[in-house]
Amino acid sequence: QVPASLPAGPKVTVVAVTQPLPTQPQYTRVDIPILREQVGQRSGGRIEVQLSTHAERNLSGTELVRLVRSGQADIAAATLTTLSGDVPILDGVDLAGLAPEIGVARRIAEAMLPVVNRDLERFGARLMVIYPFPAQVVFCRQPFASLSELRGRKVRTFGNSLVDFFTAWGAQPVSIGFPEVYSALERGVVDCAITGTGSGVAARWPEVTTHVSNLPVSWALAGYMVNVAWWNRLDPQVRSFIEAALREVNDKQWELGAAATRDGLDCAIGNAAACRIHTLAARPMTEVPATEADRAAVREILEKTVLPGFVRRCGARCGEVFNQVIAPIVGVRAGG
Amino acid sequence: MSGALPAPLALRLARGLRTGTAAAATVMAYLAGWNYIACALFITADVVGRQFGYSSASTIEITGYMLATGIAWGLAHALARRAHIRVDVWVNRLPLKLRAVLHLLALLLLGGFAAFCAWSALALVDESLLFDAHDNSALRVPLVVPQGIWTFGILAFCVMILMLALECALSLLLGRPEELDRLLGARTLEDETAEALEAVEMARGGAAR
Amino acid sequence: MIAVVLLLVLLGVAVFAAATGGQAVPVVEILALTGAFLVFFGAGVYIAAVLGLLGILIGLTFSDRPWWAFAGQTLWGPSSNFVLVAVPLFLLMGEILLRAGLSDRLYRALNVWLNRLPGGLLHTNIASCAVFSAISGSSVATAATMGSVALPYFNNSAYSQRMVLGSLAAGGALGNLIPPGITFIIYGLITETSVGALYIAALLPSILVTGLFILVILAHGLTHPLPRPERLPLAVKLRALLDLVPTLLLMALVLGSIYAGFATPTEAAALGVVGAAFFAAAEGRLTLRLLNASAEATARNTALLGLIIFGAYLLNYLLTAINVPQTLAGFIGGLPLPPWAIMACILALYLALGTFMEGFSMIITTVPVVFPIVTALGYDPIWFGVMVTMLVEIAQVSPPDGTVMYVLQGMRPRAGPITDVFVGVVPFLAAYLLAVVLMMIWPEIALWLPRVMG
Ligand code: NA
Ligand code: NA
């Protein structure tokens, strides 16, 4: 969908800071080929995207709205929950237990995009695309057959809705920085941890855990933002060119999200034939299939704990937005 | 007006201001230090509590804020004690007059950097107010609180630099470069020794009691 | 120093880009900046201010974006980072142990066992520093603590003053290498490597370095024989072991809690503080005065590190914003040299910087630039972390500028020129360099243990 050409004109240099790590497939398989290479080639060199990752820019991810707002980057991508300290409504797009499968997550994302932009544009930033990471699932160093067996275990989590979610299962949420999680799992500082199927494999968690659930707790939904002032200043032809490129990024990221979710699991359990995106685990893990009881419990926890927690933190207005936009899709209402 | 006063009085006034600021800075540094002791107790409580299924779920954020407070609130005191690191191997071999001028220059450049830091910190607090930003911990701390405390420490650092610069500039103008050298010059070996010996003394003194 | 080097590098890259690319390069501006900063350094400007102002000037000269609007966030990020909390905690632990006199008992106990070896008390210097390093994460704290304890033992003794000071400086330079260590924490923070894995990787290299130090002392002892003290009865020796108990327990608490899965490396530092206070209390020395003095010293030393972090992060932010690390990594990666030669150049650069620079500022300003190159060359991040730590430790004891040496010079009971320390540390410096070469030839020294344990 990146247009085949762009009329000649003055050169435009775009600074884009996307994805946490330069090794992630979201970066190597989407951002680099589309944003850096295709945009450069098809615009005849008129648009140059200077692409880098959070790690290369020494950023933690929580400050990305401010990065875009201050004009340090024209385009930036970050997971929505990490941004929710600055813009609380973003948390509501990706609550724990909200979307049991990726199609639902995408419908929620598309419905919420214009709504969250009403909040974001007050700060001079606009979300252009919301996209997923591989499904966030539970990795444990001891066997479990159902999430209910997490009771009493220490689970490494991040973000408020996951803390509420695991507390409701009777587990004990622990917060540890991502680089320390490997050794924390290895030595039993924590019993379980949640992350994307592919991210867990990439971080070599199969070496230190034995069982992985296939129940998507959330999708680590993330978004590409642009600086509104910069966007409005752009030559209209350049603007629609970049807009088309971002639409392609959107489609490719959702395809990748779906493929990488299953691929991460296959790599983790040693299914070499299906493991193409990530690297195969040396010590195959056991996949724990989600039970019907688990799915029912997840829905109940969403309704009784996670959603009220979100409304409490974000305010009554967020509850109304949720009921208007998301409730029709998932069938769960806030405060009802 | 001050030009009409006898010179030493102006200097005495500046010195009074500087020692007063330094005293306040010392109080802030003790608070910063005790804040680290509290931090150790807090983390220990969290580690032990975790074994019994209790965790504050905000330890990472809160102790991070304690570190920020500790750094910022110790800055002015460290300056007053001449602890901030300079490359002064060459300076200390220069004649006193030139050395005094360079000390003042170094202080003014530090002042420029500190003023920039303070301005950035204030802008950060302002932005957090605009966002009504909270952290992602269970406590949902409004970020203006820790960032405001941090900014206050950096502002105090700026005030300390200003007071020192005032006294130094006066000393230089009044032709007393040796006083300036004593305020900003390298910590002598005697200073370092006195400090180490004081600590050892405490270790020994404890044994005598 | 680093500022000047970075500027020169910047100049080189700019000239290179001009030669190959065709964009106009502001050579005059770069030369003016270089000149200004040579003057700043000569004038003894504060390191933090030089780094920060250099960053500001680079931003004003090379960036077309309002970078200042993001500066507050750039300073706040590291200020409030949980991983860095370990730094004041390790400093605090060292201060409490020093003032409680626990280190003195450690020294006496080891002495009973080691004083009949050729080299005598000098072995105790190294051994006690090594043991203390296993609880403390700071080289300066190790040198200050063990130096203040050890130096009085050498009053009016026949030992070579130079060897005494040299061995204590070398022992202090184990403080960061033997886990736990602040350098590993900073490195882990910058490069997103696991601090726990770095600690495990550092075990064999630190044994190697300690062993080489002992060989240096044995050689010195054999060539400069001293009368041996009388053999002590075994009962006395065994009783002396009791004095080791508090230190060993503290070691078990700090390292054991990490490996037993009780705490993360940062949390272990907090346990260490509480443990140190507990043993101080057991000795009857935990007074308000002790805590007050320790608190003040910790606040002061953390503030001076914090100010350097402010300057360094601002500089890093602007260098990254104008793509210097990426350009540099691409340029060096494209050089027609084998990886080991490039690595040798990088290590040589660290050694050269280390003679003038303080270790902490060195790591924080260089690793963000060098790390992408190292990984692009295919070197293991864990191995490089251990190497960098060894080079930082070498920087601490390489004349003419090294904090550890200054601290020791300041504590000498008998006055003498600082060149005594400089000369005394040289054989140990040679041993340390030998260890670096061995690590370069056999990276497995660092990488074997993490692999076996993982
Ligand atoms: Na250590
Ligand atoms: Na040095």
Side-chain angles (χ1 to χ4, degrees):
Chain A
Q1 278 174 345
V2 180
S5 69
L6 177 71
K11 192 172 178 214
V12 181
T13 305
V14 181
V15 173
V17 181
T18 58
Q19 319 317 340
L21 296 169
T23 48
Q24 286 170 322
Q26 285 72 19
Y27 191 66
T28 58
R29 290 175 177 244
V30 180
D31 292 344
I32 290 182
I34 298 178
L35 287 179
R36 184 186 282 167
E37 288 163 7
Q38 283 187 27
V39 166
Q41 282 157 11
R42 299 197 185 172
S43 69
R46 186 174 167 197
I47 304 179
E48 185 202 349
V49 180
Q50 287 180 0
L51 199 60
S52 58
T53 56
H54 304 175
E56 293 164 90
R57 295 289 295 260
N58 218 346
L59 299 164
S60 72
T62 54
E63 67 283 70
L64 271 275
V65 176
R66 299 179 190 224
L67 189 82
V68 169
R69 171 174 187 266
S70 66
Q72 303 306 295
D74 306 313
I75 302 178
T79 46
L80 302 184
T81 46
T82 59
L83 301 178
S84 66
D86 282 343
V87 189
I89 186 95
L90 292 175
D91 215 9
V93 187
D94 190 31
L95 292 175
L98 190 57
E101 49 106 7
I102 196 164
V104 178
R106 184 163 188 175
R107 279 167 60 206
I108 296 171
E110 276 161 8
M112 282 295 279
L113 190 62
V115 180
V116 295
N117 270 336
R118 286 206 294 269
D119 277 28
L120 262 175
E121 283 177 19
R122 285 198 301 134
F123 307 128
R126 180 187 299 156
L127 268 178
M128 304 297 291
V129 171
I130 297 182
Y131 67 99
F133 277 85
Q136 305 289 302
V137 298
V138 179
F139 290 70
C140 283
R141 59 203 299 279
Q142 279 129 15
F144 64 100
S146 145
L147 290 189
S148 58
E149 289 175 33
L150 295 184
R151 172 170 295 281
R153 295 196 199 182
K154 286 173 282 201
V155 183
R156 185 264 174 178
T157 53
F158 53 91
N160 279 309
S161 94
L162 285 174
V163 168
D164 286 350
F165 180 80
F166 284 105
T167 310
W169 283 105
Q172 188 196 337
V174 177
S175 56
I176 294 177
F178 191 79
E180 289 306 330
V181 179
Y182 178 90
S183 59
L185 281 167
E186 184 178 22
R187 318 212 171 283
V189 175
V190 294
D191 304 303
C192 304
I194 179 162
T195 194
T197 59
S199 322
V201 173
R204 309 197 322 276
W205 287 11
E207 294 172 11
V208 290
T209 53
T210 58
H211 286 65
V212 55
S213 156
N214 72 3
L215 177 73
V217 175
S218 66
W219 295 91
L221 289 182
Y224 290 81
M225 286 171 287
V226 298
N227 178 309
V228 175
W230 166 80
W231 185 250
N232 292 339
R233 253 198 334 266
L234 280 176
D235 175 345
Q237 286 173 325
V238 173
R239 188 162 58 219
S240 50
F241 187 92
I242 296 178
E243 204 167 4
L246 284 174
R247 269 199 304 274
E248 174 156 358
V249 165
N250 184 28
D251 291 343
K252 285 277 158 26
Q253 289 286 21
W254 280 99
E255 273 171 41
L256 177 64
T261 294
R262 192 55 236 174
D263 185 86
L265 282 170
D266 282 325
C267 295
I269 62 174
N271 181 1
C275 172
R276 296 170 194 287
I277 300 174
H278 304 93
T279 45
L280 192 66
R283 242 176 53 188
M285 301 181 66
T286 308
E287 182 175 340
V288 180
T291 62
E292 273 316 304
D294 276 349
R295 292 186 193 277
V298 165
R299 202 174 166 80
E300 194 187 326
I301 287 172
L302 171 68
E303 199 165 358
K304 298 244 168 80
T305 312
V306 174
L307 193 48
F310 164 66
V311 176
R312 202 173 52 243
R313 288 187 300 271
C314 188
R317 191 180 66 89
C318 296
E320 287 162 24
V321 168
F322 184 95
N323 285 343
Q324 252 170 34
V325 183
I326 302 179
I329 302 173
V330 298
V332 172
R333 286 182 62 83
Chain B
M1 180 65 190
S2 67
L5 294 169
L9 179 59
L11 193 55
R12 276 212 302 279
L13 267 175
R15 186 169 304 154
L17 278 173
R18 192 258 305 162
T19 44
T21 314
T26 306
V27 173
M28 285 175 71
Y30 274 105
L31 289 173
W34 278 94
N35 147 71
Y36 293 131
I37 295 177
C39 187
L41 292 174
F42 182 38
I43 295 178
T44 305
D46 204 63
V47 172
V48 175
R50 198 159 63 206
Q51 306 308 309
F52 305 103
Y54 176 79
S55 166
S56 81
S58 307
T59 321
I60 290 188
E61 286 81 5
I62 302 292
T63 54
Y65 303 150
M66 291 171 103
L67 174 67
T69 306
I71 291 176
W73 283 45
L75 289 172
H77 175 67
L79 179 67
R81 294 285 304 270
R82 288 177 296 166
H84 288 301
I85 298 176
R86 305 165 62 183
V87 180
D88 48 10
V89 187
W90 298 301
V91 178
N92 288 322
R93 296 188 185 147
L94 297 173
L96 178 64
K97 264 271 176 60
L98 185 54
R99 195 162 71 208
V101 175
L102 289 178
H103 285 324
L104 186 57
L105 175 73
L107 186 67
L108 291 176
L109 287 173
L110 182 67
F113 174 58
F116 176 77
C117 291
W119 175 82
S120 316
L122 281 170
L124 179 75
V125 172
D126 191 46
E127 195 175 40
S128 292
L129 271 176
L130 170 76
F131 278 100
D132 186 23
H134 292 69
D135 65 21
N136 280 330
S137 77
L139 287 180
R140 284 189 57 75
V141 178
L143 284 180
V144 287
V145 175
Q147 287 174 349
I149 296 172
W150 176 71
T151 305
F152 180 78
I154 301 178
L155 286 172
F157 182 46
C158 292
V159 172
M160 186 74 235
I161 295 176
L162 191 68
M163 293 305 154
L164 262 174
L166 191 66
E167 187 180 346
C168 289
L170 274 176
S171 310
L172 202 62
L173 286 176
L174 296 172
R176 296 153 169 259
E178 69 284 350
E179 288 179 18
L180 196 165
D181 195 45
R182 211 170 329 121
L183 275 176
L184 293 182
R187 290 166 61 82
T188 57
L189 292 180
E190 292 90 80
D191 292 335
E192 305 275 357
T193 317
E195 209 161 88
L197 290 183
E198 183 197 312
V200 176
E201 201 53 42
M202 192 176 279
R204 301 257 152 73
R209 244 171 261 144
Chain C
M1 250 339 101
I2 183 67
V4 176
V5 172
L6 278 173
L7 268 174
L8 291 177
V9 167
L10 206 62
L11 180 68
V13 171
V15 169
F16 181 78
T20 56
Q23 271 182 3
V25 176
V27 176
V28 180
E29 282 91 334
I30 299 177
L31 282 176
L33 276 179
T34 317
F37 278 92
L38 277 173
V39 173
F40 280 7
F41 268 101
V45 175
Y46 296 83
I47 286 199
V50 176
L51 296 174
L53 292 173
L54 178 61
I56 292 173
L57 285 183
I58 286 182
L60 292 176
T61 318
F62 297 100
S63 173
D64 53 354
R65 292 183 180 264
W67 49 270
W68 51 85
F70 198 65
Q73 192 70 48
T74 306
L75 301 177
W76 171 252
S79 291
S80 57
N81 193 310
F82 174 69
V83 175
L84 280 181
V85 173
V87 174
L89 296 181
F90 275 130
L91 293 174
L92 182 59
M93 175 167 66
E95 298 288 343
I96 293 176
L97 289 175
L98 169 63
R99 290 181 169 77
L102 275 161
S103 24
D104 198 35
R105 283 177 61 185
L106 164 70
Y107 192 85
R108 267 183 289 140
L110 286 172
N111 193 25
V112 170
W113 286 84
L114 296 173
N115 64 3
R116 282 178 55 81
L117 287 172
L121 267 178
L122 296 175
H123 287 293
T124 314
N125 287 353
I126 295 294
S128 59
C129 281
V131 172
F132 189 81
S133 298
I135 25 179
S136 168
S138 146
S139 297
V140 174
T142 305
T145 311
M146 292 327 297
S148 65
V149 169
L151 283 169
Y153 284 84
F154 292 94
N155 265 347
N156 309 315
S157 74
Y159 284 96
S160 147
Q161 277 294 305
R162 290 175 171 178
M163 269 318 259
V164 171
L165 292 164
S167 60
L168 285 170
L174 292 170
N176 256 314
L177 181 62
I178 297 179
I182 290 174
T183 311
F184 290 126
I185 294 172
I186 307 267
Y187 180 87
L189 177 77
I190 298 175
T191 64
E192 302 220 307
T193 344
S194 158
V195 179
L198 286 165
Y199 282 180
I200 296 174
L203 281 179
L204 287 183
S206 50
I207 291 172
L208 172 70
V209 174
T210 313
L212 289 174
F213 286 173
I214 288 173
L215 288 181
V216 168
I217 293 176
L218 277 178
H220 172 84
L222 290 171
T223 50
H224 303 78
L226 286 174
R228 289 215 251 170
E230 272 177 44
R231 189 183 293 277
L232 289 168
L234 190 64
V236 174
K237 284 180 137 181
L238 287 178
R239 214 172 312 130
L241 284 183
L242 274 182
D243 280 336
L244 281 178
V245 169
T247 314
L248 291 179
L249 283 178
L250 212 47
M251 205 195 302
L253 180 66
V254 174
L255 288 183
S257 64
I258 298 175
Y259 295 124
F262 190 57
T264 65
T266 307
E267 293 168 344
L271 296 180
V273 172
V274 174
F278 173 81
F279 286 116
E283 301 267 301
R285 293 187 188 180
L286 188 66
T287 58
L288 199 62
R289 202 171 129 247
L290 178 146
L291 283 178
N292 231 355
S294 305
E296 187 269 342
T298 307
R300 180 159 34 84
N301 290 322
T302 311
L304 80 87
L305 296 178
L307 191 65
I308 294 178
I309 290 188
F310 280 13
Y313 264 71
L314 195 60
L315 177 60
N316 284 344
Y317 177 73
L318 283 151
L319 286 177
T320 324
I322 63 169
N323 284 325
V324 168
Q326 298 91 318
T327 314
L328 203 60
F331 172 68
I332 294 185
L335 285 178
L337 287 173
W340 67 265
I342 297 174
M343 178 53 75
C345 289
I346 292 174
L347 298 183
L349 173 77
Y350 272 88
L351 279 179
L353 288 177
T355 54
F356 296 95
M357 259 194 96
E358 200 269 323
F360 180 80
S361 6
M362 193 164 91
I363 189 169
I364 208 166
T365 46
T366 56
V367 167
V369 184
V370 170
F371 186 72
I373 304 176
V374 171
T375 45
L377 290 174
Y379 281 94
D380 191 294
I382 302 280
W383 172 84
F384 188 64
V386 179
M387 279 303 244
V388 164
T389 304
M390 293 173 77
L391 290 162
V392 163
E393 292 288 52
I394 289 174
Q396 305 260 32
V397 292
S398 60
D401 194 55
T403 333
V404 166
M405 294 186 296
Y406 290 154
V407 166
L408 282 173
Q409 170 70 10
M411 285 187 305
R412 290 173 75 172
R414 238 174 15 183
I418 188 147
T419 43
D420 283 352
V421 192
F422 291 172
V423 174
V425 85
V426 166
F428 297 99
L429 208 52
Y432 227 130
L433 286 175
L434 177 63
V436 167
V437 173
L438 292 176
M439 282 274 292
M440 183 90 188
I441 301 175
W442 293 292
E444 287 295 294
I445 300 173
L447 296 177
W448 179 72
L449 207 52
R451 206 180 48 233
V452 173
M453 291 181 72

